[in-house]
Amino acid sequence: MSQFFQIHPDNPQLRLIKQAAQIIDQGGIVALPTDSCYALVCHLDDKDAVARLRRIRGVDEKHHLTLLCRDLSEIAQYAKVDNRQFRMLKAATPGAYTFILEATKEVPRRLSHPSRKTIGLRVPENSITHALLAELKQPLLGTTLILPDEEEPLTDPELVRERLEKQIDLVIDGGACSLIPTTVIDMTQEMPELIRQGRGDAALFGL
């Protein structure tokens, strides 16, 4: 049975953030709000937790998982970012974007896309997520909370609890989230490519 924390969306309770971080450190899968949809997240370096997350989500190794980062400096640790890319990222973060970038050696091989050695990264604009990332002092590995064979993400924390309480370790109730996922921008080529239009304004990238 999963735990259920009600955390204030603007002023997250540090006691609950610390407990959530401990659950993640111990291999837990957590559902948490972001600036787009609810996401399922786990520890970056926990192989078993990553495998569980993929099973719950119903995706294989070819599906990009995303690193949720605190800021641009953390993105630069896990992805190769040149000056041009950095300027574009700075204009769009934090925000509802996921960026596909070439992975550095800091990214475990099992997490990068097997054929392209790329990784999805984002800096969410959400106080709960930021507080948790600050407590963990490293990125979280995540994916939009869309269940297998469904097209719409889960956005109601009570419904997340009802559907997943036997599969995940914690649901963080930070209020309802959007039904619209992030905008996905591939930045591995000279010109950015729009992969998915979501909440973020693609016009920032001339798309």
Side-chain angles (χ1 to χ4, degrees):
M1 298 289 286
S2 62
Q3 297 189 63
F4 190 81
F5 293 173
Q6 288 184 308
I7 298 183
H8 195 282
D10 300 317
N11 299 293
Q13 302 95 311
L14 183 58
R15 173 182 59 85
L16 295 177
I17 292 294
K18 287 181 177 294
Q19 289 181 38
Q22 187 174 28
I23 288 169
I24 289 169
D25 278 334
Q26 293 172 348
I29 306 291
V30 175
L32 85 171
T34 74
D35 51 352
S36 55
C37 307
Y38 267 80
L40 289 176
V41 299
C42 69
H43 198 287
L44 168 64
D45 296 317
D46 192 318
K47 185 177 181 180
D48 292 337
V50 175
R52 274 182 65 205
L53 186 146
R54 287 190 184 275
R55 283 197 302 272
I56 294 166
R57 182 69 166 73
V59 296
D60 61 20
E61 292 183 354
K62 294 179 180 179
H63 182 86
H64 260 118
L65 298 177
T66 300
L67 288 184
L68 280 66
C69 300
R70 283 177 286 180
D71 51 33
L72 282 183
S73 64
E74 207 162 59
I75 281 184
Q77 183 179 350
Y78 293 92
K80 297 177 182 178
V81 179
D82 62 27
N83 289 337
R84 177 185 57 86
Q85 292 167 327
F86 186 88
R87 286 193 296 271
M88 287 189 283
L89 292 172
K90 188 175 182 180
T93 57
Y97 298 89
T98 298
F99 306 105
I100 308 300
L101 290 159
E102 186 179 351
T104 67
K105 293 180 180 178
E106 293 292 321
V107 177
R109 188 175 299 172
R110 66 180 179 276
L111 302 184
S112 56
H113 193 282
S115 63
R116 298 181 61 196
K117 296 184 175 62
T118 54
I119 188 75
L121 303 103
R122 63 173 304 215
V123 181
E125 191 172 17
N126 179 279
S127 297
I128 294 172
T129 305
H130 265 277
L132 189 53
L133 290 169
E135 181 65 27
L136 289 164
K137 296 181 175 61
Q138 67 173 12
L140 282 164
L141 191 68
T143 181
T144 303
L145 208 175
I146 303 174
L147 296 182
D149 301 319
E150 297 188 10
E151 294 184 3
E152 296 289 340
L154 294 179
T155 61
D156 182 340
E158 291 286 353
L159 186 57
V160 174
R161 183 185 197 180
E162 179 183 317
R163 298 285 299 276
L164 292 176
E165 66 177 354
K166 294 182 180 178
Q167 297 184 64
I168 67 176
D169 303 278
L170 171 64
V171 177
I172 293 178
D173 179 357
C177 279
S178 171
L179 276 168
I180 305 172
T182 58
T183 293
V184 180
I185 308 285
D186 187 332
M187 299 185 70
T188 58
Q189 305 301 318
E190 184 174 346
M191 296 300 295
E193 180 184 355
L194 179 64
I195 303 300
R196 178 182 72 197
Q197 179 62 62
R199 285 200 77 197
D201 184 2
L204 275 177
F205 297 86
L207 301 170

